[in-house]
Every structure is written in structure tokens, then in C-alpha cells.
């Protein structure tokens, strides 16, 4: 039998099978036409809106405890992603940088031990967000008993469906004292609007005043309302010194202190002033003077953990983020008192080496 002879019966059988399939489909359609379709169950999907929760001291205590427990679990496991789920705003940037620094150095991430917190809980409206409070608490690095500092930790909740997160931490300076906060008969603090004009400096302008002094130095007009110190005129002197060192190495350094888009918080003090909590950024550009020389700027040691060890072009950009608390005196003391920074924390948070530009 030839190959063609074998193929013809096979094709005949295939045609027969296709005919049977078509007939079966037609019969099934006729059978179904005579029956009523069965009703399918309706699935109702309802969206639930979380109920707002009034901020009370009990809520603040609960959320503070939840944070320090969950943060410690993340740090013990070296889990950066988990740690970031409990932070927001500038605190997220600093937490990420802290984990990367530990990984670069081959060290475990620092874990903290806390004392009893003093909770500064403002009396806020139930349905107006964000809600926030400040925990003033002794904090030390585990294994380093002499590292105890007083931390001012600000927590925020942006809506009833959001979790509470740590958005800002500053540590009280060694020679500073926390001002007495105004509280009502139930122990609630008085929150201030960032545009409040009863103080020497409106709260929303405090970061800008500090940044101005850092840029202009002791001769700045802003010195009339804010004290000189490490984080004002000290920043100015530090930058001038760093620029001179860079020039000696045929490098150019630009550094500018600016306000951030992160929240500003303010509480009334007993002398009718305010305790202001806020952030500032310090952005830097380190570059070689002679772009055509082929030279590259050295990676600053403080930024090494944020870079891959190489510089593509002739520039290195860096961003530092710092969080502060300042005392803002009442306007009635104008000319007699100045705003004063009492707490600070932060570090370099970002760095990059942009590729060379196309000529």
C-alpha cells in the first residue's frame, strides 16, 4: 500500500469526526433552547469606610508601643522593607540610609531600648486629619548604655484607613531643656497652626529662617530672630571650610540648605511661645574644576554606602536630611528673645554620580 493510499482513509475518518462534532453541537444548542437559563447568584461587594478614631492618650500609648515593638522586630531581622512600613516622610529616607550603611559596614542595624515616654497629645478634631502626637522618651542603642539621649518622636496618621507611622525624630541637645507645654485640665496639649502669628516667627517660616542663616552667616538679617549656633551660623562656617578644602584638591563644592516638603508640627508652650518640629535638607554638588581633564571627584567617606564605588562622570550629588525641634518665643518678647534650636538628628540620605553629559 502506498503512502497516498494510507492517507485517504485517514482523511475520510477525520471528516467523519468533524461532521459528528458539528451535529452534536447542533443538538446541544436545540436542547438548550428549550430550557430556561438558571439564575446565577448575585455577589454584592460593599466598600467599608474605616471609622475615625479620636486621638487620646490611650491611643498614643498604644501606637507608641506598637511602633517600638515592630521596629525592633524589623531591626533584629535586618528587614529594611518591614521597617519602612512603620515610617513616613523624612524618617523613611533616614531609615533606609541607616539600613544601607549597616549593610555596607557589615554591621547589624542598631536596635534601641526605650524608657517611659512622656506623650504630648494635642486635642484634635475627630474627622480632621492628619492626627499626630509627640513622644518624649529616653532612648539608647542596645549594648551602649552611655548612648542614652532624649528623643522627640513625632507620629502621624493621615486618615482613618491609614496606620500610624513615625515621621520625625530629633534628639535633645546635651545642654538643652524641653520647654513646658501648655495642657488643659485633661492633659491635652494645644496644637498651633503653622501660620500662627502670635510667636516671633510663624511656625512654617522657622525652617526658612534657619536655612537663610546657614547660607548667609552671622551677618544675615535673620540672625535678629534666631540664635547663632552649630546648626545656624555653624553650618555657614562648616560650608566655607569644606569649600576651601575642595579647592585645594582642584574640586568645586556647592552646598545649600533648604526647607523640605515634609510636615511641620507646633505646640503651645506655657510662656505663649511654641515648640516647632520640622526638617531641613542640605544638598551638595562636588565636581572637578577641569571637566576636560578626565579626573573624577573622590567619593566622600560619608556617602560611600550609598554609591557603588564608581563615579561615572565628573560630579557627585549628595542630599543630607536633618530633623529639628526649636523653641519659638512669643511675639511679645520681640527684641528680647530669639528662636533657639534644642534638638536635632539626621544624616546623609541620598547620593548619586550622574553620567557625563553629552558634549
Amino acid at each position: 500500500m502506498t503512502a497516498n493510499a494510507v492517507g485517504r482513509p485517514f482523511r475520510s475518518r477525520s471528516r467523519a469526526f468533524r461532521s459528528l462534532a458539528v451535529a452534536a453541537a447542533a443538538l446541544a444548542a436545540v436542547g438548550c433552547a428549550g430550557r430556561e437559563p438558571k439564575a446565577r447568584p448575585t455577589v454584592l461587594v460593599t466598600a467599608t469606610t474605616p471609622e475615625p478614631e479620636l486621638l487620646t492618650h490611650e491611643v498614643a500609648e498604644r501606637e507608641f508601643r506598637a511602633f517600638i515593638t515592630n521596629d525592633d522586630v524589623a531591626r533584629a531581622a535586618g528587614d529594611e522593607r518591614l521597617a519602612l512600613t512603620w515610617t513616613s516622610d523624612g524618617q523613611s529616607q533616614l531609615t533606609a540610609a541607616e539600613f544601607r550603611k549597616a549593610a555596607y559596614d557589615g554591621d547589624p542595624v542598631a536596635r534601641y531600648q526605650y524608657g517611659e515616654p512622656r506623650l504630648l497629645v494635642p486635642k484634635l478634631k475627630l474627622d480632621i486629619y492628619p492626627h499626630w502626637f509627640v513622644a518624649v522618651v529616653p532612648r539608647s542603642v542596645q549594648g551602649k548604655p552611655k548612648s542614652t539621649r532624649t528623643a522627640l518622636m513625632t507620629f502621624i496618621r493621615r486618615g482613618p484607613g491609614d496606620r500610624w507611622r513615625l515621621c520625625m525624630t530629633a534628639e535633645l541637645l546635651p545642654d538643652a531643656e524641653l520647654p513646658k507645654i501648655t495642657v488643659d485640665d485633661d492633659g491635652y496639649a494645644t496644637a498651633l497652626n503653622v501660620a500662627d502669628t502670635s510667636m516671633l516667627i510663624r511656625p512654617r517660616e522657622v525652617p526658612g529662617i534657619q536655612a537663610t542663616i546657614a547660607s548667609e552667616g552671622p551677618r544675615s538679617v535673620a540672625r535678629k530672630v534666631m540664635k547663632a549656633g552649630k546648626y545656624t551660623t555653624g553650618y555657614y562656617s562648616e560650608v566655607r571650610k569644606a569649600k576651601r578644602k575642595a579647592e585645594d584638591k582642584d574640586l568645586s563644592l556647592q552646598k545649600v540648605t533648604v526647607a523640605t516638603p515634609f510636615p511641620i508640627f507646633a505646640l503651645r508652650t506655657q510662656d505663649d511661645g511654641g515648640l516647632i518640629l520640622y526638617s531641613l535638607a542640605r544638598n551638595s554638588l562636588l565636581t572637578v574644576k577641569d571637566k576636560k581633564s578626565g579626573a573624577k571627584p573622590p567619593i566622600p567617606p560619608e556617602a560611600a554606602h550609598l554609591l557603588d564605588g564608581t563615579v561615572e562622570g565628573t560630579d557627585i550629588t549628595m542630599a543630607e536630611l536633618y530633623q529639628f525641634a526649636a523653641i519659638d518665643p512669643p511675639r511679645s518678647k520681640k527684641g528680647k528673645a530669639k528662636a533657639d534650636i534644642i534638638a536635632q538628628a539626621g544624616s546623609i540620605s541620598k547620593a548619586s554620580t550622574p553620567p557625563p553629559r553629552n558634549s
Side-chain angles (χ1 to χ4, degrees), residues 224-305:
K224 294 181 179 180
V225 293
M226 181 173 280
K227 289 183 179 180
K230 181 177 181 180
Y231 304 112
T232 52
T233 52
Y235 273 170
Y236 174 80
S237 300
E238 176 189 315
V239 171
R240 286 172 60 86
K241 184 177 180 180
K243 283 184 175 181
R244 288 194 294 267
K245 284 187 175 181
E247 289 175 357
D248 292 341
K249 299 177 182 179
D250 294 322
L251 299 170
S252 173
L253 174 66
Q254 299 176 42
K255 188 184 287 282
V256 59
T257 303
V258 296
T260 72
F262 302 134
I264 298 172
F265 305 95
L267 292 170
R268 178 71 74 190
T269 56
Q270 287 187 5
D271 65 350
D272 291 327
L275 174 67
I276 319 300
L277 301 111
Y278 59 97
S279 302
L280 278 181
R282 301 179 76 201
N283 300 323
S284 305
L285 173 62
L286 181 65
T287 184
V288 296
K289 286 185 176 181
D290 186 357
K291 299 286 187 179
K292 298 180 180 179
S293 66
K296 298 179 182 295
I299 295 177
E302 66 272 19
H305 63 289

Side-chain angles (χ1 to χ4, degrees), residues 97 100-102 104-105 245 249 251 286 297-309 311 316 318 320 347-351:
R100 288 163 196 171
K101 179 71 163 61
Y104 179 83
D105 293 339
K245 284 187 175 181
K249 299 177 182 179
L251 299 170
L286 181 65
I299 295 177
E302 66 272 19
H305 63 289
L306 298 171
L307 301 172
D308 61 2
V311 179
I316 296 176
M318 294 170 287
E320 303 164 61
S347 69
I348 185 169
S349 57
K350 295 180 182 179

Side-chain angles (χ1 to χ4, degrees), residues 163-230:
R163 71 167 44 164
W164 282 92
R165 300 172 189 266
L166 177 67
C167 74
M168 182 183 302
T169 301
E171 293 182 335
L172 200 65
L173 301 179
D175 57 348
E177 292 184 3
L178 190 71
K180 294 181 179 180
I181 304 298
T182 300
V183 296
D184 63 16
D185 292 340
D186 295 319
Y188 286 96
T190 302
L192 295 171
N193 190 292
V194 294
D196 192 293
T197 59
S198 64
M199 289 161 291
L200 183 61
I201 309 171
R202 286 186 291 186
R204 69 184 181 194
E205 295 174 356
V206 171
I209 291 292
Q210 182 182 351
T212 298
I213 299 174
S215 298
E216 299 177 354
R219 296 182 180 180
S220 174
V221 175
R223 278 273 290 107
K224 294 181 179 180
V225 293
M226 181 173 280
K227 289 183 179 180
K230 181 177 181 180

Side-chain angles (χ1 to χ4, degrees), residues 8-333:
R8 278 193 292 271
F10 178 80
R11 285 195 292 271
S12 299
R13 288 195 296 271
S14 296
R15 293 192 192 98
F17 290 150
R18 284 198 295 271
S19 299
L20 287 172
V22 171
L27 288 171
V30 171
C32 291
R35 293 199 299 266
E36 292 292 332
K38 292 183 179 180
R40 294 182 179 180
T42 301
V43 178
L44 297 177
V45 179
T46 58
T48 58
T49 302
E51 290 292 329
E53 181 181 42
L54 186 66
L55 175 57
T56 64
H57 289 85
E58 291 74 22
V59 169
E61 174 81 19
R62 180 193 73 200
E63 296 304 327
F64 171 78
R65 298 295 176 190
F67 170 80
I68 63 174
T69 298
N70 287 286
D71 181 65
D72 188 60
V73 169
R75 289 173 178 273
D79 192 333
E80 176 185 341
R81 185 174 297 180
L82 178 60
L84 291 176
T85 64
W86 294 96
T87 63
S88 69
D89 302 298
Q91 194 66 41
S92 293
Q93 292 185 15
L94 293 173
T95 299
E98 183 182 0
F99 271 78
R100 288 163 196 171
K101 179 71 163 61
Y104 179 83
D105 293 339
D107 296 329
V109 182
R111 297 170 64 185
Y112 295 103
Q113 291 179 321
Y114 295 86
E116 284 299 312
R118 176 190 171 195
L119 300 174
L120 304 178
V121 183
K123 198 166 192 176
L124 304 174
K125 293 184 178 180
L126 174 65
D127 56 349
I128 297 180
Y129 286 83
H131 286 179
W132 58 276
F133 68 90
V134 181
V136 182
V137 59
R139 185 180 74 167
S140 61
V141 178
Q142 287 190 17
K144 297 181 179 180
K146 294 184 180 181
S147 65
T148 303
R149 299 282 297 277
T150 298
L152 280 66
M153 305 170 66
T154 306
F155 294 83
I156 191 170
R157 189 185 193 191
R158 287 187 160 85
D162 297 329
R163 71 167 44 164
W164 282 92
R165 300 172 189 266
L166 177 67
C167 74
M168 182 183 302
T169 301
E171 293 182 335
L172 200 65
L173 301 179
D175 57 348
E177 292 184 3
L178 190 71
K180 294 181 179 180
I181 304 298
T182 300
V183 296
D184 63 16
D185 292 340
D186 295 319
Y188 286 96
T190 302
L192 295 171
N193 190 292
V194 294
D196 192 293
T197 59
S198 64
M199 289 161 291
L200 183 61
I201 309 171
R202 286 186 291 186
R204 69 184 181 194
E205 295 174 356
V206 171
I209 291 292
Q210 182 182 351
T212 298
I213 299 174
S215 298
E216 299 177 354
R219 296 182 180 180
S220 174
V221 175
R223 278 273 290 107
K224 294 181 179 180
V225 293
M226 181 173 280
K227 289 183 179 180
K230 181 177 181 180
Y231 304 112
T232 52
T233 52
Y235 273 170
Y236 174 80
S237 300
E238 176 189 315
V239 171
R240 286 172 60 86
K241 184 177 180 180
K243 283 184 175 181
R244 288 194 294 267
K245 284 187 175 181
E247 289 175 357
D248 292 341
K249 299 177 182 179
D250 294 322
L251 299 170
S252 173
L253 174 66
Q254 299 176 42
K255 188 184 287 282
V256 59
T257 303
V258 296
T260 72
F262 302 134
I264 298 172
F265 305 95
L267 292 170
R268 178 71 74 190
T269 56
Q270 287 187 5
D271 65 350
D272 291 327
L275 174 67
I276 319 300
L277 301 111
Y278 59 97
S279 302
L280 278 181
R282 301 179 76 201
N283 300 323
S284 305
L285 173 62
L286 181 65
T287 184
V288 296
K289 286 185 176 181
D290 186 357
K291 299 286 187 179
K292 298 180 180 179
S293 66
K296 298 179 182 295
I299 295 177
E302 66 272 19
H305 63 289
L306 298 171
L307 301 172
D308 61 2
T310 61
V311 179
E312 292 188 60
T314 58
D315 301 338
I316 296 176
T317 62
M318 294 170 287
E320 303 164 61
L321 181 67
Y322 296 98
Q323 299 172 330
F324 296 94
I327 298 174
D328 191 1
R331 180 170 289 276
S332 59
K333 292 185 179 181

